[in-house]
Amino acid sequence: QVHLVESGGGSVQTGGSLRLSCEVSTKTYWPNCMGWFRQAPGSPGEKREGVAVIFTGNGLTYYADSVKGRFTISRDVPENTVYLQMNSLKPEDTAMYYCAVARRCGYWSRGDMDYWGKGTLVNISS
């Protein structure tokens, strides 16, 4: 059974920073990509937005336009952990942030991932 353990959410003011972490609970599942998605509060019917993804083999990263230059995704391959450093946070970054991993990553931007975390809440006040 694969579980994703997320941490690092919280409340900060506009312009602040937060660092999210997500660890894959088992060392028998090694994803080829690890990513972060988010869903704004009060929008349960809307699709989760792909924020950033990193390919574990070569470190290649992709970011949503809304976070480029402010967020940085990184990974620790031996620890099977992915991080999201979020700087210059804005109120519109307020959302539940979900970690997700996959072995086949061709459709990561559509949210087609193997496993998902339960989410960690990020709240940015103005």
Side-chain angles (χ1 to χ4, degrees):
Q1 192 78 356
V2 178
H3 297 286
L4 305 184
V5 181
E6 299 148 324
S7 61
S11 296
V12 297
Q13 293 185 327
T14 298
S17 298
L18 285 171
R19 187 183 193 223
L20 306 182
S21 299
C22 172
E23 180 181 3
V24 181
S25 64
T26 176
K27 296 298 189 286
T28 60
Y29 173 87
W30 298 96
N32 291 317
C33 63
M34 309 176 84
W36 290 94
F37 296 74
R38 67 186 180 185
Q39 189 168 40
S43 60
E46 293 188 15
K47 186 180 176 181
R48 293 174 183 174
E49 176 191 15
V51 175
V53 72
I54 186 166
F55 289 80
T56 56
N58 58 17
L60 188 64
T61 59
Y62 292 96
Y63 295 92
D65 288 342
S66 58
V67 306
K68 281 180 182 176
R70 300 188 298 121
F71 291 11
T72 302
I73 190 170
S74 60
R75 90 285 192 214
D76 184 329
V77 174
E79 295 299 321
N80 224 355
T81 300
V82 62
Y83 305 96
L84 187 67
Q85 178 66 43
M86 305 186 293
N87 298 328
S88 302
L89 284 161
K90 306 175 181 179
E92 50 264 44
D93 294 319
T94 294
M96 186 70 79
Y97 283 71
Y98 298 90
C99 171
V101 297
R103 283 185 170 153
R104 295 183 178 182
C105 304
Y107 298 100
W108 74 268
S109 62
R110 301 181 188 179
D112 188 6
M113 306 292 277
D114 294 339
Y115 299 100
W116 292 82
K118 294 183 178 181
T120 184
L121 183 62
V122 171
N123 182 58
I124 312 304
S125 58
S126 57

PDB file of all heavy atoms in Angstrom, residues 79-105:
ATOM      1  N   GLU A  79      15.177   9.379  -0.443  1.00  0.00           N
ATOM      2  CA  GLU A  79      14.143   9.472   0.594  1.00  0.00           C
ATOM      3  C   GLU A  79      12.743   9.416   0.001  1.00  0.00           C
ATOM      4  O   GLU A  79      11.766   9.438   0.756  1.00  0.00           O
ATOM      5  CB  GLU A  79      14.320  10.770   1.386  1.00  0.00           C
ATOM      6  CG  GLU A  79      15.603  10.835   2.192  1.00  0.00           C
ATOM      7  CD  GLU A  79      15.680   9.723   3.224  1.00  0.00           C
ATOM      8  OE1 GLU A  79      14.650   9.398   3.839  1.00  0.00           O
ATOM      9  OE2 GLU A  79      16.775   9.146   3.388  1.00  0.00           O
ATOM     10  N   ASN A  80      12.656   9.351  -1.321  1.00  0.00           N
ATOM     11  CA  ASN A  80      11.354   9.279  -1.991  1.00  0.00           C
ATOM     12  C   ASN A  80      10.447  10.417  -1.525  1.00  0.00           C
ATOM     13  O   ASN A  80       9.280  10.206  -1.179  1.00  0.00           O
ATOM     14  CB  ASN A  80      10.677   7.927  -1.724  1.00  0.00           C
ATOM     15  CG  ASN A  80      10.063   7.336  -2.982  1.00  0.00           C
ATOM     16  OD1 ASN A  80      10.059   7.961  -4.038  1.00  0.00           O
ATOM     17  ND2 ASN A  80       9.521   6.147  -2.873  1.00  0.00           N
ATOM     18  N   THR A  81      11.013  11.626  -1.527  1.00  0.00           N
ATOM     19  CA  THR A  81      10.327  12.806  -1.003  1.00  0.00           C
ATOM     20  C   THR A  81      10.382  13.931  -2.017  1.00  0.00           C
ATOM     21  O   THR A  81      11.402  14.106  -2.698  1.00  0.00           O
ATOM     22  CB  THR A  81      10.973  13.249   0.320  1.00  0.00           C
ATOM     23  OG1 THR A  81      10.874  12.175   1.274  1.00  0.00           O
ATOM     24  CG2 THR A  81      10.275  14.474   0.881  1.00  0.00           C
ATOM     25  N   VAL A  82       9.290  14.679  -2.087  1.00  0.00           N
ATOM     26  CA  VAL A  82       9.241  15.848  -2.960  1.00  0.00           C
ATOM     27  C   VAL A  82       8.891  17.069  -2.116  1.00  0.00           C
ATOM     28  O   VAL A  82       8.161  16.966  -1.123  1.00  0.00           O
ATOM     29  CB  VAL A  82       8.216  15.657  -4.100  1.00  0.00           C
ATOM     30  CG1 VAL A  82       6.803  15.494  -3.563  1.00  0.00           C
ATOM     31  CG2 VAL A  82       8.289  16.780  -5.112  1.00  0.00           C
ATOM     32  N   TYR A  83       9.446  18.204  -2.509  1.00  0.00           N
ATOM     33  CA  TYR A  83       9.252  19.447  -1.780  1.00  0.00           C
ATOM     34  C   TYR A  83       8.691  20.517  -2.723  1.00  0.00           C
ATOM     35  O   TYR A  83       8.925  20.476  -3.922  1.00  0.00           O
ATOM     36  CB  TYR A  83      10.576  19.951  -1.197  1.00  0.00           C
ATOM     37  CG  TYR A  83      11.286  18.940  -0.340  1.00  0.00           C
ATOM     38  CD1 TYR A  83      12.288  18.132  -0.876  1.00  0.00           C
ATOM     39  CD2 TYR A  83      10.960  18.790   1.007  1.00  0.00           C
ATOM     40  CE1 TYR A  83      12.938  17.198  -0.092  1.00  0.00           C
ATOM     41  CE2 TYR A  83      11.615  17.866   1.796  1.00  0.00           C
ATOM     42  CZ  TYR A  83      12.597  17.079   1.248  1.00  0.00           C
ATOM     43  OH  TYR A  83      13.240  16.148   2.029  1.00  0.00           O
ATOM     44  N   LEU A  84       8.012  21.471  -2.138  1.00  0.00           N
ATOM     45  CA  LEU A  84       7.557  22.638  -2.889  1.00  0.00           C
ATOM     46  C   LEU A  84       7.844  23.874  -2.051  1.00  0.00           C
ATOM     47  O   LEU A  84       7.201  24.089  -1.020  1.00  0.00           O
ATOM     48  CB  LEU A  84       6.065  22.562  -3.225  1.00  0.00           C
ATOM     49  CG  LEU A  84       5.558  23.667  -4.141  1.00  0.00           C
ATOM     50  CD1 LEU A  84       6.160  23.527  -5.546  1.00  0.00           C
ATOM     51  CD2 LEU A  84       4.032  23.670  -4.225  1.00  0.00           C
ATOM     52  N   GLN A  85       8.845  24.628  -2.472  1.00  0.00           N
ATOM     53  CA  GLN A  85       9.165  25.888  -1.810  1.00  0.00           C
ATOM     54  C   GLN A  85       8.330  26.977  -2.448  1.00  0.00           C
ATOM     55  O   GLN A  85       8.424  27.204  -3.662  1.00  0.00           O
ATOM     56  CB  GLN A  85      10.653  26.204  -1.957  1.00  0.00           C
ATOM     57  CG  GLN A  85      11.068  27.522  -1.349  1.00  0.00           C
ATOM     58  CD  GLN A  85      10.927  27.544   0.164  1.00  0.00           C
ATOM     59  OE1 GLN A  85      11.280  26.583   0.842  1.00  0.00           O
ATOM     60  NE2 GLN A  85      10.394  28.638   0.695  1.00  0.00           N
ATOM     61  N   MET A  86       7.538  27.656  -1.648  1.00  0.00           N
ATOM     62  CA  MET A  86       6.624  28.670  -2.158  1.00  0.00           C
ATOM     63  C   MET A  86       7.007  30.018  -1.566  1.00  0.00           C
ATOM     64  O   MET A  86       6.952  30.203  -0.343  1.00  0.00           O
ATOM     65  CB  MET A  86       5.183  28.318  -1.792  1.00  0.00           C
ATOM     66  CG  MET A  86       4.767  26.924  -2.246  1.00  0.00           C
ATOM     67  SD  MET A  86       3.022  26.575  -1.953  1.00  0.00           S
ATOM     68  CE  MET A  86       2.996  26.564  -0.168  1.00  0.00           C
ATOM     69  N   ASN A  87       7.406  30.933  -2.415  1.00  0.00           N
ATOM     70  CA  ASN A  87       7.793  32.275  -1.998  1.00  0.00           C
ATOM     71  C   ASN A  87       6.858  33.314  -2.604  1.00  0.00           C
ATOM     72  O   ASN A  87       6.119  33.028  -3.544  1.00  0.00           O
ATOM     73  CB  ASN A  87       9.230  32.565  -2.443  1.00  0.00           C
ATOM     74  CG  ASN A  87      10.244  31.624  -1.819  1.00  0.00           C
ATOM     75  OD1 ASN A  87      10.086  31.161  -0.695  1.00  0.00           O
ATOM     76  ND2 ASN A  87      11.309  31.334  -2.558  1.00  0.00           N
ATOM     77  N   SER A  88       6.920  34.505  -2.070  1.00  0.00           N
ATOM     78  CA  SER A  88       6.097  35.620  -2.570  1.00  0.00           C
ATOM     79  C   SER A  88       4.642  35.196  -2.716  1.00  0.00           C
ATOM     80  O   SER A  88       4.004  35.428  -3.751  1.00  0.00           O
ATOM     81  CB  SER A  88       6.642  36.110  -3.920  1.00  0.00           C
ATOM     82  OG  SER A  88       7.984  36.514  -3.803  1.00  0.00           O
ATOM     83  N   LEU A  89       4.129  34.594  -1.682  1.00  0.00           N
ATOM     84  CA  LEU A  89       2.773  34.040  -1.733  1.00  0.00           C
ATOM     85  C   LEU A  89       1.728  35.142  -1.848  1.00  0.00           C
ATOM     86  O   LEU A  89       1.884  36.245  -1.294  1.00  0.00           O
ATOM     87  CB  LEU A  89       2.524  33.178  -0.510  1.00  0.00           C
ATOM     88  CG  LEU A  89       3.206  31.802  -0.575  1.00  0.00           C
ATOM     89  CD1 LEU A  89       3.316  31.180   0.806  1.00  0.00           C
ATOM     90  CD2 LEU A  89       2.444  30.885  -1.523  1.00  0.00           C
ATOM     91  N   LYS A  90       0.665  34.811  -2.586  1.00  0.00           N
ATOM     92  CA  LYS A  90      -0.425  35.746  -2.841  1.00  0.00           C
ATOM     93  C   LYS A  90      -1.736  35.137  -2.327  1.00  0.00           C
ATOM     94  O   LYS A  90      -1.856  33.915  -2.219  1.00  0.00           O
ATOM     95  CB  LYS A  90      -0.553  35.993  -4.344  1.00  0.00           C
ATOM     96  CG  LYS A  90       0.722  36.451  -5.031  1.00  0.00           C
ATOM     97  CD  LYS A  90       0.517  36.538  -6.535  1.00  0.00           C
ATOM     98  CE  LYS A  90       1.783  36.965  -7.249  1.00  0.00           C
ATOM     99  NZ  LYS A  90       1.595  37.039  -8.729  1.00  0.00           N
ATOM    100  N   PRO A  91      -2.725  35.973  -2.074  1.00  0.00           N
ATOM    101  CA  PRO A  91      -4.024  35.434  -1.630  1.00  0.00           C
ATOM    102  C   PRO A  91      -4.596  34.399  -2.593  1.00  0.00           C
ATOM    103  O   PRO A  91      -5.230  33.423  -2.154  1.00  0.00           O
ATOM    104  CB  PRO A  91      -4.903  36.679  -1.548  1.00  0.00           C
ATOM    105  CG  PRO A  91      -3.948  37.779  -1.234  1.00  0.00           C
ATOM    106  CD  PRO A  91      -2.699  37.447  -1.997  1.00  0.00           C
ATOM    107  N   GLU A  92      -4.336  34.577  -3.879  1.00  0.00           N
ATOM    108  CA  GLU A  92      -4.876  33.622  -4.853  1.00  0.00           C
ATOM    109  C   GLU A  92      -4.166  32.272  -4.815  1.00  0.00           C
ATOM    110  O   GLU A  92      -4.580  31.330  -5.490  1.00  0.00           O
ATOM    111  CB  GLU A  92      -4.818  34.191  -6.277  1.00  0.00           C
ATOM    112  CG  GLU A  92      -3.473  34.746  -6.689  1.00  0.00           C
ATOM    113  CD  GLU A  92      -3.396  36.260  -6.493  1.00  0.00           C
ATOM    114  OE1 GLU A  92      -3.839  36.753  -5.430  1.00  0.00           O
ATOM    115  OE2 GLU A  92      -2.855  36.935  -7.405  1.00  0.00           O
ATOM    116  N   ASP A  93      -3.099  32.155  -4.027  1.00  0.00           N
ATOM    117  CA  ASP A  93      -2.457  30.855  -3.825  1.00  0.00           C
ATOM    118  C   ASP A  93      -3.169  30.026  -2.755  1.00  0.00           C
ATOM    119  O   ASP A  93      -2.839  28.853  -2.551  1.00  0.00           O
ATOM    120  CB  ASP A  93      -0.991  31.032  -3.409  1.00  0.00           C
ATOM    121  CG  ASP A  93      -0.141  31.640  -4.499  1.00  0.00           C
ATOM    122  OD1 ASP A  93      -0.316  31.256  -5.679  1.00  0.00           O
ATOM    123  OD2 ASP A  93       0.694  32.519  -4.182  1.00  0.00           O
ATOM    124  N   THR A  94      -4.126  30.639  -2.076  1.00  0.00           N
ATOM    125  CA  THR A  94      -4.881  29.922  -1.053  1.00  0.00           C
ATOM    126  C   THR A  94      -5.596  28.731  -1.670  1.00  0.00           C
ATOM    127  O   THR A  94      -6.350  28.876  -2.631  1.00  0.00           O
ATOM    128  CB  THR A  94      -5.900  30.852  -0.391  1.00  0.00           C
ATOM    129  OG1 THR A  94      -5.201  31.871   0.333  1.00  0.00           O
ATOM    130  CG2 THR A  94      -6.802  30.082   0.556  1.00  0.00           C
ATOM    131  N   ALA A  95      -5.327  27.542  -1.118  1.00  0.00           N
ATOM    132  CA  ALA A  95      -5.901  26.322  -1.682  1.00  0.00           C
ATOM    133  C   ALA A  95      -5.500  25.135  -0.827  1.00  0.00           C
ATOM    134  O   ALA A  95      -4.615  25.237   0.032  1.00  0.00           O
ATOM    135  CB  ALA A  95      -5.413  26.104  -3.111  1.00  0.00           C
ATOM    136  N   MET A  96      -6.130  24.017  -1.098  1.00  0.00           N
ATOM    137  CA  MET A  96      -5.663  22.744  -0.567  1.00  0.00           C
ATOM    138  C   MET A  96      -4.631  22.226  -1.570  1.00  0.00           C
ATOM    139  O   MET A  96      -4.926  22.140  -2.778  1.00  0.00           O
ATOM    140  CB  MET A  96      -6.811  21.750  -0.439  1.00  0.00           C
ATOM    141  CG  MET A  96      -6.420  20.454   0.246  1.00  0.00           C
ATOM    142  SD  MET A  96      -6.087  20.659   1.997  1.00  0.00           S
ATOM    143  CE  MET A  96      -7.767  20.712   2.620  1.00  0.00           C
ATOM    144  N   TYR A  97      -3.457  21.911  -1.093  1.00  0.00           N
ATOM    145  CA  TYR A  97      -2.381  21.434  -1.945  1.00  0.00           C
ATOM    146  C   TYR A  97      -2.225  19.925  -1.787  1.00  0.00           C
ATOM    147  O   TYR A  97      -2.128  19.423  -0.663  1.00  0.00           O
ATOM    148  CB  TYR A  97      -1.071  22.141  -1.602  1.00  0.00           C
ATOM    149  CG  TYR A  97      -1.007  23.542  -2.156  1.00  0.00           C
ATOM    150  CD1 TYR A  97      -1.792  24.555  -1.617  1.00  0.00           C
ATOM    151  CD2 TYR A  97      -0.185  23.853  -3.231  1.00  0.00           C
ATOM    152  CE1 TYR A  97      -1.768  25.840  -2.131  1.00  0.00           C
ATOM    153  CE2 TYR A  97      -0.143  25.137  -3.761  1.00  0.00           C
ATOM    154  CZ  TYR A  97      -0.938  26.121  -3.203  1.00  0.00           C
ATOM    155  OH  TYR A  97      -0.909  27.395  -3.723  1.00  0.00           O
ATOM    156  N   TYR A  98      -2.211  19.243  -2.913  1.00  0.00           N
ATOM    157  CA  TYR A  98      -2.121  17.785  -2.932  1.00  0.00           C
ATOM    158  C   TYR A  98      -0.837  17.346  -3.610  1.00  0.00           C
ATOM    159  O   TYR A  98      -0.477  17.840  -4.677  1.00  0.00           O
ATOM    160  CB  TYR A  98      -3.295  17.184  -3.696  1.00  0.00           C
ATOM    161  CG  TYR A  98      -4.643  17.466  -3.105  1.00  0.00           C
ATOM    162  CD1 TYR A  98      -5.362  18.588  -3.487  1.00  0.00           C
ATOM    163  CD2 TYR A  98      -5.216  16.602  -2.165  1.00  0.00           C
ATOM    164  CE1 TYR A  98      -6.607  18.862  -2.945  1.00  0.00           C
ATOM    165  CE2 TYR A  98      -6.463  16.865  -1.629  1.00  0.00           C
ATOM    166  CZ  TYR A  98      -7.146  17.989  -2.017  1.00  0.00           C
ATOM    167  OH  TYR A  98      -8.385  18.245  -1.481  1.00  0.00           O
ATOM    168  N   CYS A  99      -0.193  16.398  -2.994  1.00  0.00           N
ATOM    169  CA  CYS A  99       0.959  15.747  -3.589  1.00  0.00           C
ATOM    170  C   CYS A  99       0.469  14.531  -4.377  1.00  0.00           C
ATOM    171  O   CYS A  99      -0.503  13.867  -3.973  1.00  0.00           O
ATOM    172  CB  CYS A  99       1.900  15.299  -2.470  1.00  0.00           C
ATOM    173  SG  CYS A  99       3.261  14.268  -2.980  1.00  0.00           S
ATOM    174  N   ALA A 100       1.113  14.241  -5.483  1.00  0.00           N
ATOM    175  CA  ALA A 100       0.743  13.078  -6.277  1.00  0.00           C
ATOM    176  C   ALA A 100       1.979  12.526  -6.968  1.00  0.00           C
ATOM    177  O   ALA A 100       2.906  13.271  -7.282  1.00  0.00           O
ATOM    178  CB  ALA A 100      -0.315  13.442  -7.311  1.00  0.00           C
ATOM    179  N   VAL A 101       1.971  11.216  -7.205  1.00  0.00           N
ATOM    180  CA  VAL A 101       3.112  10.564  -7.845  1.00  0.00           C
ATOM    181  C   VAL A 101       2.619   9.602  -8.915  1.00  0.00           C
ATOM    182  O   VAL A 101       1.476   9.126  -8.871  1.00  0.00           O
ATOM    183  CB  VAL A 101       3.977   9.808  -6.809  1.00  0.00           C
ATOM    184  CG1 VAL A 101       4.569  10.781  -5.801  1.00  0.00           C
ATOM    185  CG2 VAL A 101       3.180   8.703  -6.119  1.00  0.00           C
ATOM    186  N   ALA A 102       3.505   9.305  -9.856  1.00  0.00           N
ATOM    187  CA  ALA A 102       3.127   8.375 -10.917  1.00  0.00           C
ATOM    188  C   ALA A 102       4.373   7.755 -11.533  1.00  0.00           C
ATOM    189  O   ALA A 102       5.473   8.303 -11.454  1.00  0.00           O
ATOM    190  CB  ALA A 102       2.325   9.095 -12.000  1.00  0.00           C
ATOM    191  N   ARG A 103       4.178   6.603 -12.150  1.00  0.00           N
ATOM    192  CA  ARG A 103       5.247   5.984 -12.932  1.00  0.00           C
ATOM    193  C   ARG A 103       5.113   6.368 -14.400  1.00  0.00           C
ATOM    194  O   ARG A 103       6.106   6.565 -15.082  1.00  0.00           O
ATOM    195  CB  ARG A 103       5.224   4.477 -12.760  1.00  0.00           C
ATOM    196  CG  ARG A 103       5.800   4.020 -11.428  1.00  0.00           C
ATOM    197  CD  ARG A 103       5.886   2.541 -11.303  1.00  0.00           C
ATOM    198  NE  ARG A 103       6.642   2.149 -10.134  1.00  0.00           N
ATOM    199  CZ  ARG A 103       6.464   1.010  -9.495  1.00  0.00           C
ATOM    200  NH1 ARG A 103       5.550   0.144  -9.915  1.00  0.00           N
ATOM    201  NH2 ARG A 103       7.199   0.723  -8.436  1.00  0.00           N
ATOM    202  N   ARG A 104       3.908   6.435 -14.896  1.00  0.00           N
ATOM    203  CA  ARG A 104       3.660   6.913 -16.251  1.00  0.00           C
ATOM    204  C   ARG A 104       3.200   8.357 -16.148  1.00  0.00           C
ATOM    205  O   ARG A 104       2.155   8.627 -15.560  1.00  0.00           O
ATOM    206  CB  ARG A 104       2.615   6.041 -16.940  1.00  0.00           C
ATOM    207  CG  ARG A 104       3.088   4.619 -17.155  1.00  0.00           C
ATOM    208  CD  ARG A 104       2.061   3.803 -17.903  1.00  0.00           C
ATOM    209  NE  ARG A 104       2.528   2.440 -18.155  1.00  0.00           N
ATOM    210  CZ  ARG A 104       1.834   1.530 -18.825  1.00  0.00           C
ATOM    211  NH1 ARG A 104       0.654   1.833 -19.321  1.00  0.00           N
ATOM    212  NH2 ARG A 104       2.333   0.330 -18.989  1.00  0.00           N
ATOM    213  N   CYS A 105       3.967   9.252 -16.718  1.00  0.00           N
ATOM    214  CA  CYS A 105       3.778  10.668 -16.423  1.00  0.00           C
ATOM    215  C   CYS A 105       3.318  11.490 -17.622  1.00  0.00           C
ATOM    216  O   CYS A 105       3.308  12.715 -17.564  1.00  0.00           O
ATOM    217  CB  CYS A 105       5.071  11.247 -15.871  1.00  0.00           C
ATOM    218  SG  CYS A 105       5.689  10.367 -14.419  1.00  0.00           S
TER     219      CYS A 105
END
